[in-house]
Amino acid sequence: MRVEIDRTLLAEFERTVDTAHPERSKIPVKVLGYGEISLVFEIIGDKHPVAYKRLPIFDDESQVIRHVNAYKEYTRLLRDDLGIAVPWSDAAWFPSADGRLVVLYCAQAKLDPASIGNQVIHAVDEAGLGSLVWGVMQELKKVWAFNKRQSRIQIGIDGQVSNWSVPGYDRASPAVDPGKPLSYVDTSTPMYRVDGEEAMDATLLLRSAPGLLRGMLMGMLHEVVDRYYDWRLVANDLIANFYKEQMPSAVPAVLARINEFFETEASEFGIKPFTVEEVKKYYKRDKQIWVLFQNLRRFDRFVKTKLLRKPYDFYLPGKIKR
Ligand SMILES: Nc1ncnc2c1ncn2[C@@H]1O[C@H](COP(=O)(O)OP(=O)(O)O)[C@@H](O)[C@H]1O
Ligand SMILES: [Mg+2]
């Protein structure tokens, strides 16, 4: 089936969305997944199987256009220059109902939620887990081989398990075929630099942070974004995911797989092996930061909506178990 955006339906959704409870909006939606800062959903009754991500972070159309151009170019780079599979994607934007913002929707062909890495890891056996981790590392190698080959364009990527889908996944007999490349879903945060210049305006990512925190993060922004350009840090995140996903017992095996990959398939990158202690320490800190972030956002929403009776543009996930 051809996939496309139903603009009339989407515009009507934006006009009537209940941002605090999107599933209670006039046009009902079903949540497909949460990221740390976004919500991905499908519209119930949509003729096309599309996954939408709503980004209410732009003041005007010129900001949106810059972001969409970067999003399209990032997708193209991954697919054509790196050979990483990405789902069909497109974008549409509308002024918010009160005219304060321009809201961007990143659209993607909807994939089977069971095929996304963070669900796959709970369904497959240890061998499947090993194949998945190895598969992610193989895709990541395409990024860093490209970055090493030339210096004009540098590409960043977020390697977390929740950003990969296993093609042809069958939930009735969960397995990961080690010979089949994974596809990458998290394309709406386009991370690439041309001659050292970040293509997207990374400060926009801080829009969902409360004022005080935003100021603090602004100073660290370069550092925050930098970690997606560093293979070791990206791999570190991938290992730490297994703590977040409540699978601490899988960490030593996953870590061993990743160390093995760096030693055999990527020895020319000279990446230092990980230890469990190191990743544990990293995860503790990362967890504290995100819990603080989500709590401050909830507090900020409370102040804005309940005390000041002002609009609040973001959807906040419920408590995330870590
Ligand atoms: N095309 C899609 N089909 C089905 N689920 C998706 C799709 N894209 C994203 N998701 C779900 O939404 C989650 C968050 O999406 P992602 O693009 O990774 O956003 P974030 O930048 O917030 O991490 C994914 O982990 C996945 O569970
Ligand atoms: Mg993600």
Side-chain angles (χ1 to χ4, degrees):
M1 195 209 281
R2 211 169 116 229
V3 192
E4 61 181 274
I5 298 179
D6 184 338
R7 281 167 207 270
T8 317
L9 184 65
L10 194 57
E12 178 66 3
F13 174 74
E14 177 54 34
R15 215 176 53 73
T16 55
V17 63
D18 176 346
T19 48
H21 309 284
E23 62 290 353
R24 292 186 211 156
S25 298
K26 184 177 156 224
I27 300 206
V29 299
K30 192 171 126 203
V31 173
L32 293 171
Y34 308 93
E36 295 287 5
I37 59 169
S38 69
L39 168 75
V40 176
F41 61 90
E42 65 182 319
I43 297 179
I44 295 170
D46 197 337
K47 288 188 297 297
H48 301 284
V50 182
Y52 287 107
K53 188 189 274 183
R54 180 177 183 271
L55 295 171
I57 56 177
F58 304 95
D59 296 319
D60 55 47
E61 202 165 22
S62 69
Q63 283 181 353
V64 175
I65 290 171
R66 174 175 173 189
H67 194 83
V68 169
N69 286 341
Y71 167 56
K72 295 203 164 159
E73 175 61 6
Y74 184 61
T75 311
R76 194 200 63 75
L77 282 166
L78 293 182
R79 189 190 53 222
D80 298 346
D81 291 12
L82 269 55
I84 297 179
V86 288
W88 167 91
S89 65
D90 199 359
W93 55 92
F94 310 96
S96 62
D98 59 10
R100 283 178 310 120
L101 304 164
V102 184
V103 179
L104 171 64
Y105 286 87
C106 291
Q108 228 174 41
K110 184 198 152 190
L111 306 169
D112 175 7
S115 78
I116 310 281
N118 57 319
Q119 298 215 25
V120 172
I121 59 171
H122 296 289
V124 296
D125 60 14
E126 210 177 301
L129 210 63
S131 304
L132 182 74
V133 168
W134 197 264
V136 171
M137 291 300 282
Q138 261 163 343
E139 298 309 308
L140 295 179
K141 185 179 172 185
K142 296 176 182 171
V143 175
W144 274 277
F146 175 89
N147 288 346
K148 202 177 160 87
R149 232 179 3 251
Q150 45 78 51
S151 59
R152 194 173 84 83
I153 301 178
Q154 294 292 295
I155 295 181
I157 194 165
D158 178 352
Q160 303 219 6
V161 279
S162 59
N163 291 340
W164 303 93
S165 165
V166 179
Y169 187 81
D170 175 9
R171 60 173 88 194
S173 58
V176 181
D177 179 348
K180 249 197 199 158
L182 305 171
S183 60
Y184 185 69
V185 301
D186 202 343
T187 50
S188 65
T189 314
M191 284 182 286
Y192 68 97
R193 294 171 177 163
V194 181
D195 293 324
E197 275 295 312
E198 198 72 50
M200 66 167 173
D201 176 1
T203 62
L204 292 171
L205 298 179
L206 301 179
R207 282 296 168 87
S208 79
L212 188 75
L213 192 64
R214 199 181 310 151
M216 261 165 59
L217 288 171
M218 202 69 90
M220 298 164 47
L221 189 61
H222 202 71
E223 217 183 298
V224 172
V225 179
D226 264 356
R227 69 192 241 186
Y228 298 105
Y229 290 84
D230 179 325
W231 196 1
R232 191 171 193 276
L233 293 178
V234 169
N236 193 342
D237 242 4
L238 175 61
I239 308 171
N241 269 180
F242 289 83
Y243 288 117
K244 178 175 169 192
E245 298 292 340
Q246 316 289 313
M247 291 176 74
S249 62
V251 168
V254 167
L255 184 144
R257 264 327 244 162
I258 288 180
N259 283 345
E260 185 193 341
F261 188 94
F262 279 136
E263 206 180 294
T264 58
E265 302 276 322
S267 58
E268 70 273 29
F269 292 84
I271 291 172
K272 202 173 101 207
F274 291 101
T275 64
V276 173
E277 291 67 43
E278 175 194 2
V279 179
K280 209 184 256 171
K281 219 164 88 194
Y282 165 86
Y283 179 66
K284 259 198 186 146
R285 200 178 123 73
D286 196 54
K287 175 172 161 174
Q288 283 166 352
I289 292 172
W290 283 111
V291 169
L292 178 71
F293 180 61
Q294 298 297 5
N295 286 340
L296 282 173
R297 290 177 81 206
R298 269 195 280 273
F299 177 68
D300 178 57
R301 178 176 64 180
F302 171 78
V303 172
K304 284 215 178 87
T305 59
K306 298 283 188 298
L307 304 183
L308 304 175
R309 308 260 165 212
K310 289 212 295 204
Y312 189 76
D313 302 312
F314 299 94
Y315 174 82
L316 301 186
K319 282 238 178 316
I320 299 172
K321 197 156 181 250
R322 288 167 194 277

